[in-house]
Amino acid sequence: MIRKDLSGSDSQNADPYYIPSTGEGNFENLVADYESKDRVIWQKPDLVISLLGDLSGKTVADIGAGTGYFAFRIVPKAQRVIGIDIDQRFINFMDSVKVRLPEAYRDRFEPRLAMPDDPKIEPEEVDDIIIVNTYGYIEHRINYLSKLFTGLKPGGSLVIIDFKKNNLPIGPSDEFKVSLQDVQHELEKAGFTIKVVDRSSLDYQYIVQALKPEPEK
Ligand SMILES: C[S@@+](CC[C@H](N)C(=O)[O-])C[C@H]1O[C@@H](n2cnc3c(N)ncnc32)[C@H](O)[C@@H]1O
């Protein structure tokens, strides 16, 4: 995994759709980074996905899906998977993977172009949401989380996996990480109930699972 940071900011680039998260480096390098083989060891995707429980019949959104590293691993388990990203190059990349999927899986997957401040999920469209290695790139996060809250069905869950604030051999510099405490605070502000806070399963990352509560009867 290439060590990278959020180089550039809106002030460095007048383009309102400038994407700081894809920052430096050409697209091929980003793809190689996201698809690097060592991720299986340090990020344990199967363990992370198992947190979502039984996904049969469910719709899952992957926010900041990138190459679809997680989204495509979820496709065989779920009814529908939406790979959401703000970078058209990743949407095209996921489309190019989608056409190679077995027919039975192809129709389950939808790459969806979103906006930095809007995940473009319909109200109560999805059962579960994951955000992997992306949370720190989202601005105005409480407002963004409120939109995810609206997009989730009652009882649905949101899983956030991101880098711990430490001097780690992989991931962005600390400046571009969100502390676990802040993640929990922001989730609660947006109306979520924290279900799981896991600091130990992954060496470099925390896992937080939060729920959209069912309405009281
Ligand atoms: C470091 S990559 C992680 C990709 C993928 N989740 C993974 O784990 O391989 C961050 C991704 O988030 C996307 N991104 C950044 N800000 C976003 C936002 N506000 N909404 C949706 N996607 C965003 C970027 O385009 C990029 O594909």
Side-chain angles (χ1 to χ4, degrees):
M1 182 111 179
I2 298 164
R3 180 184 279 275
K4 62 175 174 288
D5 60 27
L6 274 167
S7 61
S9 65
D10 288 346
S11 61
Q12 284 175 293
N13 193 310
D15 180 352
Y17 299 114
Y18 178 63
I19 300 159
S21 57
T22 51
E24 305 175 46
N26 63 33
F27 184 64
E28 287 69 30
N29 286 348
L30 290 170
V31 170
D33 182 17
Y34 298 174
E35 293 293 318
S36 66
K37 296 208 169 26
D38 60 335
R39 283 187 76 173
V40 172
I41 298 167
W42 59 262
Q43 200 164 43
K44 304 180 187 167
D46 290 344
L47 178 144
V48 169
I49 292 168
S50 73
L51 259 185
L52 297 173
D54 181 7
L55 290 175
S56 42
K58 293 203 169 161
T59 299
V60 182
D62 180 359
I63 304 290
T67 56
Y69 184 85
F70 273 85
F72 287 117
R73 281 172 168 78
I74 295 170
V75 165
K77 302 174 192 292
Q79 184 180 334
R80 209 171 139 231
V81 178
I82 311 168
I84 295 176
D85 209 286
I86 56 171
D87 186 334
Q88 183 66 51
R89 297 171 304 172
F90 286 117
I91 300 299
N92 296 346
F93 185 95
M94 288 189 277
D95 258 328
S96 74
V97 177
K98 174 182 169 161
V99 296
R100 300 200 308 264
L101 293 181
E103 206 174 331
Y105 291 160
R106 212 176 299 151
D107 291 342
R108 297 186 192 182
F109 182 72
E110 179 198 341
R112 187 178 293 180
L113 185 63
M115 300 296 288
D117 61 351
D118 184 353
K120 302 275 184 193
I121 299 175
E122 297 298 320
E124 300 192 9
E125 184 182 5
V126 301
D127 297 278
D128 292 288
I129 298 174
I130 59 164
I131 310 180
V132 185
N133 300 3
T134 299
Y135 193 68
Y137 299 118
I138 296 170
E139 293 181 11
H140 312 297
R141 285 189 293 271
I142 297 171
N143 188 38
Y144 192 89
L145 287 173
S146 303
K147 291 180 181 170
L148 296 182
F149 189 91
T150 303
L152 268 177
K153 294 181 181 145
S157 94
L158 165 61
V159 173
I160 297 176
I161 294 118
D162 226 304
F163 291 94
K164 295 171 186 170
K165 280 211 172 209
N166 272 317
N167 192 15
L168 303 174
I170 53 171
S173 60
D174 272 5
E175 188 187 344
F176 303 108
K177 295 175 193 166
V178 184
S179 72
L180 182 53
Q181 202 183 359
D182 285 349
V183 174
Q184 293 178 79
H185 173 75
E186 290 165 5
L187 282 164
E188 284 170 346
K189 277 266 176 201
F192 287 93
T193 303
I194 309 285
K195 181 181 176 197
V196 174
V197 176
D198 182 346
R199 302 172 183 79
S200 56
S201 291
L202 306 179
D203 287 339
Y204 305 133
Q205 300 197 292
Y206 51 76
I207 303 171
V208 182
Q209 184 174 32
L211 300 181
K212 173 173 178 171
E214 304 265 7
E216 286 181 28
K217 288 178 188 152

